[in-house]
């Protein structure tokens, strides 16, 4: 392959990857500052969130690695021709200094460097995160990768290529996604946004929420972008939503304020090009394999996790009775398998096994009675008005059990107050917020939660 074939192969690749965009081979642009004609190997012009995006692709057919001087030269040309993103594709690799200069350069510009042999895995990177049968075909935005490893609180996450999740979180520049299945509490994006806003108002101080212009999708699906800041948030939290008929997928972006515009483009790209898909499962073979293995597993934690996996596989196949059988076995073997607990309690509620649901809920709380996360997760299970009486009974049992633990009592009362507030019982909520304040004052008069409670009371009293 000579340099011209090399350029044309790159051009053909981007024609396939950006079917809705205008792709120009050997483009010529007049520089804003140089006032001269500048040549671009491949120019990609697209629209994201109603704004034009230009990507310049430069193909380096070198016999040596791309170094920092090549990177700086390309950055200078990007500034001159006023593109938003740039991609250097090299035949022989690149130096550490070159990639560092690309990633940590001017905030407005986004530049990445890629080996030619890795091109097929770059912009074409896709994943299909799913929750039950609800799934989304997810594309990676410019310069980022998808981490599909399942976590208890989200389906997948995205961050800059070359990093790991922990380093991306430390940099305060990453995205996670999750699904919300529509129900009587929220059957549209606007209802889900308002429900989440209410929950944030109850938890955060100095909360500021604003809307950003969403992406327009070719299929007309409704999208929405919310930007939130608060004292308890380490950086900006920007959430994008897509209405996917039976469910809503939402993407939560964490970003520093100075990188907002750059990272909003990545979120907008995801909202524009992610596609809902339907999937079906036949897990019969892996279920039998794991069942045969369970008899030889001696470690109770490993065995309980195997039961949890069997339950998940049965649930994916809509075999809910068998799923519940293994969820109960998981709890009996080792109750602290966190991913098993919420679906276990929800499953008992769906089967109208109320006593079992209460018993598991009390056991769940006992794992960490002073941890607000436990009470928040219980709230997420019982937040339907249909379960109000059951949750009231659970709260009564918890107050009796933990009557000598002021921090646990504060945790119980503040979250029950939040629950009452969400179902419109403000007068009853006030009583529990005041009790929560009293118990936290007994723990520590300077406890941060006391200020939060006072702000909540100022809003509703």
């Amino acid at each position: 392959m000579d340099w011209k074939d090399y350029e044309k192969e790159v051009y053909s690749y981007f024609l396939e990857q950006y079917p809705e965009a205008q792709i120009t081979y050997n483009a010529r642009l007049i520089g804003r500052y140089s006032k001269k004609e500048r040549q671009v190997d491949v120019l990609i012009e697209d629209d994201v969130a109603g704004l034009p995006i230009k990507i310049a692709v430069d193909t380096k057919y070198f016999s040596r690695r791309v170094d920092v001087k090549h990177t700086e030269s390309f950055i200078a040309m990007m500034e001159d021709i006023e593109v938003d993103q740039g991609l250097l594709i090299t035949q022989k690799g690149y130096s550490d200094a070159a990639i560092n200069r690309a990633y940590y350069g001017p905030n407005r510009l986004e530049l990445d460097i890629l080996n030619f042999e890795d091109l097929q895995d770059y912009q074409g990177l896709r994943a299909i995160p799913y929750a039950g049968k609800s799934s989304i075909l997810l594309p990676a935005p410019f310069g980022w990768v998808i981490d599909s490893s399942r976590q208890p609180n989200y389906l997948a996450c995205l961050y800059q290529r070359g990093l790991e999740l922990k380093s991306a979180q430390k940099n305060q520049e990453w995205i996670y996604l999750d699904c919300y299945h529509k129900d009587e509490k929220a059957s549209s994006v606007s209802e889900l946004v308002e429900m989440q806003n209410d929950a944030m108002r109850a938890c955060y101080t100095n909360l500021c929420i604003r809307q950003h212009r969403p992406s327009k999708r070719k299929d007309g699906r409704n999208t929405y972008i919310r930007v939130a800041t608060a004292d308890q948030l380490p950086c900006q939290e920007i959430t994008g939503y897509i209405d996917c008929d039976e469910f809503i997928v939402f993407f939560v972006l964490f970003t520093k304020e100075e990188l907002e515009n750059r990272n909003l483009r990545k979120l907008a790209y995801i909202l524009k090009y992610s596609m809902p898909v339907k999937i079906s499962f036949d897990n019969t073979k892996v279920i039998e394999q794991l069942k045969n293995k369970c008899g030889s597993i001696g470690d109770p934690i490993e065995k309980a996790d195997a039961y949890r996996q069997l339950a998940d596989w049965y649930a994916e196949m809509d075999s809910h009775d068998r799923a519940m059988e293994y969820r109960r076995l998981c709890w009996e073997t080792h109750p602290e398998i966190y991913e098993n607990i919420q679906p276990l309690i929800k499953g008992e509620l769906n089967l109208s096994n109320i006593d079992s649901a209460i018993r598991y809920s009390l056991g769940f709380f006992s794992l960490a009675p002073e941890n607000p996360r436990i009470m928040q997760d219980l709230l997420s299970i019982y937040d339907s008005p249909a379960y109000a009486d059951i949750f009231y009974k659970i709260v009564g049992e918890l107050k009796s059990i933990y009557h000598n633990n002021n921090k646990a009592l504060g945790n119980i009362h503040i979250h029950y107050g939040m629950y009452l507030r969400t179902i419109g019982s403000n007068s009853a909520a006030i009583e529990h917020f005041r009790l929560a304040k009293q118990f936290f004052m007994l723990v520590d008069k300077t406890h941060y939660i006391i200020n939060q409670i006072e702000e909540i009371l100022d809003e509703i009293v």
Side-chain angles (χ1 to χ4, degrees):
M1 183 187 325
D2 62 19
W3 66 269
K4 194 169 283 291
D5 292 331
Y6 180 73
E7 287 183 358
K8 287 182 177 177
E9 184 160 342
V10 171
Y11 169 66
S12 298
Y13 168 78
F14 283 106
L15 281 176
E16 294 178 3
Q17 290 301 310
Y18 291 88
E20 299 178 20
Q22 179 180 334
I23 315 289
T24 307
Y25 173 66
N26 195 22
R28 306 281 172 168
L29 300 173
I30 302 298
R32 178 179 181 180
Y33 307 107
S34 67
K35 310 300 181 186
K36 293 184 178 180
E37 185 178 78
R38 310 295 297 268
Q39 186 268 339
V40 180
D41 293 340
V42 178
L43 180 67
I44 304 167
E45 297 175 274
D46 202 357
D47 179 272
V48 175
L51 299 174
I53 294 292
K54 290 184 179 180
I55 305 172
V57 181
D58 193 23
T59 57
K60 296 297 185 188
Y61 195 69
F62 288 169
S63 58
R64 63 187 189 281
R65 295 191 306 166
V66 165
D67 62 24
V68 69
K69 291 182 180 179
H70 299 124
T71 304
E72 290 183 337
S73 175
F74 189 44
I75 288 172
M77 187 179 79
M78 289 171 63
E79 292 174 337
D80 193 28
I81 61 176
E82 299 183 288
V83 297
D84 305 283
Q85 299 170 340
L87 181 61
L88 268 173
I89 301 177
T90 169
Q91 185 192 18
K92 291 292 182 180
Y94 43 83
S95 68
D96 290 341
I99 196 70
N100 287 337
R101 181 67 181 88
Y103 282 164
Y104 305 111
N107 291 335
R108 190 189 72 80
L109 298 176
E110 294 182 78
L111 176 60
D112 201 359
I113 307 176
L114 191 71
N115 286 323
F116 177 74
E117 59 265 26
D118 297 328
L119 184 61
Q120 294 297 326
D121 296 324
Y122 186 60
Q123 288 297 108
L125 182 60
R126 298 287 188 271
I128 308 180
Y130 64 90
K133 296 187 184 305
S134 301
S135 58
I136 193 100
L137 178 59
L138 174 67
F142 186 87
W144 283 31
V145 294
I146 302 168
D147 183 341
S148 296
S149 55
R150 297 296 289 266
Q151 302 291 334
N153 301 317
Y154 50 82
L155 301 179
C157 57
L158 303 95
Y159 45 83
Q160 182 180 291
R161 185 172 65 89
L163 298 181
E164 295 180 346
L165 177 57
K166 285 186 178 179
S167 54
Q169 291 173 329
K170 185 177 180 180
N171 291 347
Q172 298 178 355
E173 199 173 7
W174 67 291
I175 294 171
Y176 77 80
L177 70 134
D178 208 348
C179 287
Y180 179 87
H181 292 88
K182 293 180 180 179
D183 55 22
E184 71 277 4
K185 293 174 294 180
S187 59
S188 66
V189 169
S190 59
E191 290 178 355
L192 177 60
V193 169
E194 191 53 40
M195 185 174 75
Q196 292 181 343
N197 287 352
D198 286 343
M200 294 175 78
R201 291 185 189 105
C203 294
Y204 297 142
T205 54
N206 293 324
L207 176 66
C208 177
I209 294 175
R210 58 185 169 88
Q211 182 181 356
H212 189 275
R213 179 166 52 181
S215 298
K216 290 184 179 179
R217 292 176 55 94
K218 191 174 182 180
D219 58 11
R221 292 184 181 278
N222 185 29
T223 59
Y224 186 92
I225 296 177
R226 176 191 64 208
V227 183
T229 57
D231 290 346
Q232 290 78 14
L233 293 173
C235 57
Q236 286 188 313
E237 182 181 297
I238 305 177
T239 308
Y241 302 81
I242 306 174
D243 191 319
C244 299
D245 301 327
E246 293 87 3
F247 66 98
I248 298 164
V249 63
F250 56 95
F251 305 85
V252 183
L253 162 68
F254 296 94
T255 179
K256 297 174 183 175
E257 186 175 355
E258 60 268 26
L259 301 178
E260 176 183 333
N261 289 337
R262 184 173 79 178
N263 289 327
L264 262 171
R265 288 201 298 269
K266 299 189 184 302
L267 182 62
Y269 175 86
I270 292 170
L271 293 180
K272 182 175 181 180
Y273 290 109
S274 295
M275 296 297 298
V277 293
K278 294 202 180 247
I279 55 177
S280 59
F281 299 90
D282 182 0
N283 299 324
T284 307
K285 190 171 183 179
V286 290
I287 284 173
E288 290 307 313
Q289 289 173 347
L290 187 53
K291 278 184 179 179
N292 292 334
K293 182 182 176 183
C294 280
S296 62
I297 299 175
D299 180 70
I301 297 177
E302 185 181 350
K303 192 164 201 167
D305 197 51
Y307 289 147
R308 189 269 315 161
Q309 180 63 78
L310 287 167
D312 289 348
W313 283 338
Y314 274 121
E316 287 174 351
M317 297 170 62
D318 294 327
S319 183
H320 298 295
D321 288 342
R322 298 305 304 275
M324 285 301 295
E325 175 186 338
Y326 282 97
R327 295 213 185 282
R328 293 170 188 135
L329 278 172
C330 175
W331 175 275
E332 291 164 12
T333 306
H334 187 77
E336 296 182 30
I337 303 297
Y338 205 90
E339 299 89 338
N340 182 65
I341 299 172
Q342 284 182 286
L344 170 64
I345 298 171
K346 288 179 179 178
E348 298 291 16
L349 289 171
N350 290 335
L351 293 169
S352 298
N353 296 332
I354 306 306
D355 289 342
S356 294
I358 292 174
R359 177 168 59 85
Y360 290 132
S361 298
L362 297 175
F364 182 28
F365 188 84
S366 71
L367 299 179
E370 297 179 3
N371 187 342
R373 166 72 188 279
I374 298 288
M375 203 63 186
Q376 289 166 10
D377 286 345
L378 280 176
L379 277 177
S380 70
I381 296 170
Y382 290 97
D383 60 358
S384 168
Y387 299 139
D389 291 341
I390 303 171
F391 196 53
Y392 176 78
K393 186 173 182 180
I394 290 170
V395 169
E397 294 272 4
L398 291 174
K399 289 192 307 185
S400 175
I401 295 168
Y402 297 95
H403 65 278
N404 287 325
N405 186 329
N406 290 325
K407 196 169 184 179
L409 288 170
N411 186 20
I412 293 164
H413 281 288
I414 190 172
H415 285 92
Y416 192 51
M418 291 176 187
Y419 173 78
L420 292 168
R421 190 181 178 192
T422 60
I423 63 173
S425 299
N426 280 356
S427 59
I430 290 168
E431 177 189 349
H432 287 278
F433 285 131
R434 286 173 174 164
L435 285 169
K437 180 180 175 181
Q438 291 175 20
F439 286 118
F440 281 116
M441 288 284 286
L442 292 171
V443 174
D444 179 1
K445 291 182 180 180
T446 63
H447 199 291
Y448 76 91
I449 200 70
I450 294 170
N451 288 334
Q452 280 185 243
I453 296 170
E454 289 174 345
E455 290 188 5
I456 295 169
L457 287 170
D458 287 342
E459 289 179 11
I460 61 177
V461 172

